[in-house]
Amino acid sequence: GHFIESGFDMAKLPRRCPDHSTGVLRRWLDGNGWGCHSGQLFLLGILFRVLAALCLLLRSASQASGGQLSFGSSSVLKTRLLRDALMTFLAFVLIFELYLLGLTL
């Protein structure tokens, strides 16, 4: 039924917890959504909250300084380049953390 299509097949319920036979990503790709503990969920929540706090700090600092983050540079072009580089870095950190989360057991 609906639960099997959603990845919660009772036949794939782990025999022992924690199930260290494969990583989370491999189980999800096999259609197995069962988990023995909520550790990955807590890690994901912490990750999103830290990234949201960083983005909020950057946004509020730029609003307080008139729309630009200073970063100690004198020209507007350098400031924009640094801001874009920082946002790109945060995006790559997010992707890397999600990849690492998929490798956890």
Side-chain angles (χ1 to χ4, degrees), residues 31-47:
N32 183 1
W34 292 108
C36 294
H37 60 86
S38 57
Q40 290 94 4
L41 194 59
F42 286 125
L43 287 174
L44 190 64
I46 291 169
L47 168 71

Side-chain angles (χ1 to χ4, degrees), residues 11-70:
K12 294 182 180 180
L13 187 65
R15 301 287 182 246
R16 57 184 172 80
C17 283
D19 181 18
H20 293 294
S21 60
T22 58
V24 174
L25 186 61
R26 176 82 328 230
R27 287 196 303 260
W28 284 350
L29 291 175
D30 291 339
N32 183 1
W34 292 108
C36 294
H37 60 86
S38 57
Q40 290 94 4
L41 194 59
F42 286 125
L43 287 174
L44 190 64
I46 291 169
L47 168 71
F48 285 145
R49 280 173 176 78
V50 166
L51 285 174
L54 284 173
C55 290
L56 180 66
L57 284 172
L58 289 172
R59 182 71 178 161
S60 62
S62 69
Q63 293 271 331
S65 65
Q68 292 292 325
L69 287 172
S70 65

Side-chain angles (χ1 to χ4, degrees), residues 6 14 27 32 35 41 56 74 99 101 104:
S6 299
R27 287 196 303 260
N32 183 1
L41 194 59
L56 180 66
S74 58
Y99 173 73
L101 184 66
T104 59

